[in-house]
Amino acid sequence: MPLLDINNPAVIIFLLENYEKENRLRLNWIHKHRAQIQQAATLAREPTNYFETDVIAHNMIGGMATITRDHVVAGYSRRKVPIRDGTFIPGAKHLRHGHSIVDVGLGDPKDDPRLARPDTELSSDPIMRPVEPELRKIIYKDKPEFGRKQYLVKRSKIRPENKYYFAETGGNVYGWRMKDSQLHQKPLFGRCWHLTRTLRTRVGPQPDPPHYKSSEPPGPSSCLGI
């Protein structure tokens, strides 16, 4: 809606008439309720001597009808037979069924005997996969060739998915199943090591083909031809 042009004489006359009409309505309302306004302003009212408990009791009496109605409805509902939407309600013993490491195909009880547990057992699944016996023996060998440091070096060369059932840290997330990434595959159209390949051949290094050389400008290529 466009704004009114207050510089227009017709609009000015319209606004003045509405202001006067609003003032007359206000004065009429005040004149009509003059007695009530004066009584409320001077507090010249008869005291009711109501206490806070009287106000609370009045509200309680007004709500008794609702309480009685709800009590009757509740008594009627209690006599009804409840409707069961679900025929089967799983309990705590059904939590692991279908969700264990063996069920999702991440582990085998033959490789890790800790996974051979009944569904009723609610203990946590193992976090780390079993360590190879050959690698475990390194910890108990004499120093300085073996021991804890050499064990950690050997373990760092194993892929994260071969050490844990799930990605436990942020580093595991970035290195998880990297063998499936195309970044570690040999590029189909990548550069070859020409020097290494030629040195390992039986004929030895060969000169570059003609199309590898830079093009020569037309005309004599030396000062002797001038």
Side-chain angles (χ1 to χ4, degrees):
M1 180 178 179
L3 298 177
L4 297 177
D5 186 9
I6 59 175
N7 296 324
N8 190 357
V11 175
I12 295 175
I13 296 173
F14 172 76
L15 295 176
L16 290 175
E17 291 178 354
N18 280 273
Y19 293 157
E20 293 177 358
K21 182 179 179 180
E22 181 69 19
N23 291 332
R24 288 195 299 269
L25 291 175
R26 290 176 180 271
L27 291 174
N28 187 19
W29 187 89
I30 293 174
H31 179 72
K32 182 178 180 180
H33 301 85
R34 180 178 179 182
Q36 290 85 348
I37 295 175
Q38 185 177 3
Q39 184 179 7
T42 57
L43 297 179
R45 292 175 295 179
E46 296 180 0
T48 56
N49 296 326
Y50 287 154
F51 295 95
E52 185 179 359
T53 55
D54 298 333
V55 178
I56 296 174
H58 179 74
N59 296 332
M60 292 176 62
I61 293 172
M64 288 300 294
T66 306
I67 295 176
T68 304
R69 180 200 62 191
D70 296 343
H71 178 72
V72 174
V73 174
Y76 176 74
S77 300
R78 282 195 297 268
R79 291 191 295 270
K80 288 185 176 181
V81 179
I83 300 175
R84 298 296 183 184
D85 297 334
T87 58
F88 172 73
I89 300 177
K93 62 181 180 180
H94 302 93
L95 293 178
R96 292 188 65 254
H97 183 69
H99 302 281
S100 62
I101 294 179
V102 180
D103 295 333
V104 298
L106 294 178
D108 190 358
K110 297 179 180 179
D111 300 332
D112 191 355
R114 299 173 298 175
L115 302 178
R117 301 179 302 165
D119 294 338
T120 55
E121 186 177 351
L122 301 180
S123 58
S124 301
D125 291 329
I127 298 176
M128 191 170 63
R129 295 180 182 271
V131 184
E132 294 78 4
E134 296 79 7
L135 191 59
R136 190 188 298 272
K137 293 179 181 179
I138 298 178
I139 303 178
Y140 304 101
K141 289 187 178 182
D142 298 335
K143 295 181 179 181
E145 291 80 6
F146 299 96
R148 178 175 176 271
K149 185 176 180 180
Q150 191 66 17
Y151 169 80
L152 295 177
V153 172
K154 296 289 185 182
R155 287 281 293 177
S156 62
K157 298 180 181 179
I158 303 177
R159 299 180 184 272
E161 61 267 19
N162 296 335
K163 293 188 294 184
Y164 301 93
Y165 288 105
F166 301 97
E168 301 293 337
T169 61
N172 290 347
V173 173
Y174 288 105
W176 199 260
R177 297 184 65 88
M178 288 296 293
K179 62 181 180 180
D180 299 340
S181 176
Q182 296 181 356
L183 299 177
H184 286 262
Q185 298 179 5
K186 184 179 180 180
L188 300 178
F189 306 100
R191 295 181 178 179
C192 301
W193 293 353
H194 295 281
L195 180 61
T196 304
R197 186 176 61 181
T198 53
L199 290 177
R200 292 181 179 179
T201 59
R202 293 179 297 175
V203 296
Q206 299 293 326
D208 293 335
H211 61 272
Y212 272 34
K213 298 180 180 180
S214 60
S215 60
E216 297 180 356
S221 59
S222 61
C223 298
L224 299 177
I226 298 177

